[in-house]
Structure formats: C-alpha cells, structure tokens
Amino acid sequence: MKIDKNKLIIRKLDISEIDAYVDYIKYVKAHMEHPEWLGEFTKEELNSMLSDNSCIYVWAFDENNNKPFEEINQFIATGMLIPSRQKDLDKFLQSDMKFEDVIDFGPEAVHPDYIGNGLQSDVIQFLEKIGLEKGFKSGLATVDPDNIYSIRNLLKNDFENVARVELKRGTRDVLRKNILGG
C-alpha cells in the first residue's frame, strides 16, 4: 500500500513499549518468505540493550505521535542502533576499527502492508544521521547473504560489503560505512 511519507513521524521506542515491538517483529517475520533474514532479540535481550544505550526508532502515522505503542498496526517501520563492543568487531572481522567509534545498524523491519515505499532506505539514512549526531564515525550491518533487498539498500546508501562471517544465526555478510564521509 502506498503511503504519504510526509504523514509519518519517527520516534524513539520507550522501554515500556517493548512488548508491542516484539509482537511487531514476530508479525513481520510471520509474513516474510524468509523470516530467518530478520534478526530477532528476546524481550530480555532488548531490555538489556536499551538499558545499555541501544535505541529502537519507530516510523508511525502522525496520529500515533503522543500515543504509546501498544498494537502492531501502529508500526510502519523500525530500525535499531546498537553501540559496538570489541568482541563484536572481532566476530565481524573488523578488528581494525575502534569499537567506541562504531555503531551497529541492528534489525530494520517494514510492516508487510507498506513494503515498496522505500522505507528501509529511509530507515538506514535516519539511523546514519542519528549515529553521526551521537558521535560515531562508522556504521556496521550484518545481513544474510541471500537477502538481496537489504544488501541492495545498504549498498545504495554507500555501505561496502567487506566480509562474510559465520554467526550463531548463520552466515552473514558484513557491510561497513564511514558515516563521517556522508
């Protein structure tokens, strides 16, 4: 379904809204041909991550601006930023980077009704802007190598495919961008 992006707001998810976010991710995965492509964290992991400076941003229609996120249909798209740790950089074969300079672009998800509106690319651009405002110099993303849609969106936004790694959740391509360079 086509949407007017000018009628969308972007807001940071509050930790009290985690249940709705978890339900939304499950809903998105249930409507994907390849649900293994979308990373998923448990509620406990998300609570821990949000308490440790990770952020989830939600794209929603403007009528949801001052309402708590409680229902799946309030979400249009989401994106997550996760500060890197040295062990993450080692695991992603990016040990040449300083972990305090790197932000990880976590799962991005678009509601199945709104795929085809260029929202994932918008999410990536927004996350990059926020990462830069927070003082990070580089961004990393890990993507299933068969997920040509996410890879294409990251490449379109000037990420480079720099490595392939084996993680618990399977093989992932590592994409990297110097966000200081725009």
Side-chain angles (χ1 to χ4, degrees):
M1 169 185 324
K2 286 290 178 202
I3 57 171
D4 181 353
K5 292 183 189 180
N6 293 319
K7 294 186 177 182
L8 298 180
I9 54 108
I10 305 167
R11 149 164 106 67
K12 194 160 109 172
L13 187 84
D14 186 77
I15 201 162
S16 67
E17 300 168 313
I18 286 293
D19 288 332
Y21 174 77
V22 169
D23 290 345
Y24 164 74
I25 293 296
K26 288 179 181 172
Y27 179 82
V28 169
K29 288 181 83 154
H31 289 81
M32 291 176 67
E33 183 178 349
H34 301 282
E36 68 277 8
W37 289 356
L38 181 58
E40 184 177 352
F41 296 103
T42 66
K43 180 180 173 181
E44 294 73 25
E45 289 169 325
L46 289 167
N47 279 322
S48 175
M49 293 166 76
L50 292 179
S51 296
D52 200 24
N53 296 321
S54 292
C55 301
I56 299 170
Y57 294 93
V58 178
W59 280 248
F61 289 116
D62 54 9
E63 64 260 16
N64 291 298
N65 195 21
N66 295 312
K67 294 180 187 173
F69 291 119
E70 298 172 334
E71 299 174 23
I72 292 165
N73 64 3
Q74 290 178 282
F75 294 83
I76 302 300
T78 58
M80 186 174 191
L81 286 174
I82 308 164
S84 289
R85 302 168 296 179
Q86 188 59 50
K87 70 180 187 175
D88 300 322
L89 297 180
D90 294 342
K91 185 170 39 173
F92 301 153
L93 306 178
Q94 304 303 304
S95 302
D96 62 312
M97 304 173 86
K98 291 176 157 180
F99 76 90
E100 45 288 291
D101 292 340
V102 181
I103 191 76
D104 188 345
F105 288 52
E108 293 119 31
V110 176
H111 190 289
D113 291 348
Y114 304 108
I115 291 172
N117 284 285
L119 290 164
Q120 185 182 20
S121 191
D122 293 346
V123 170
I124 292 166
Q125 291 168 22
F126 178 83
L127 294 177
E128 181 178 333
K129 180 180 147 243
I130 295 298
L132 191 57
E133 287 173 4
K134 289 180 175 276
F136 293 97
K137 297 177 183 173
S138 299
L140 284 180
T142 59
V143 182
D144 186 297
D146 293 330
N147 186 347
I148 58 169
Y149 309 105
S150 290
I151 291 172
R152 189 179 312 141
N153 277 315
L154 287 159
L155 293 174
K156 183 171 84 174
N157 284 286
D158 300 320
F159 278 74
E160 293 180 69
N161 200 330
V162 295
R164 183 165 284 177
V165 296
E166 291 298 325
L167 304 175
K168 287 181 199 169
R169 63 184 188 263
T171 304
R172 294 293 184 263
D173 281 358
V174 178
L175 291 98
R176 174 175 167 169
K177 179 178 183 178
N178 173 355
I179 59 177
L180 282 177

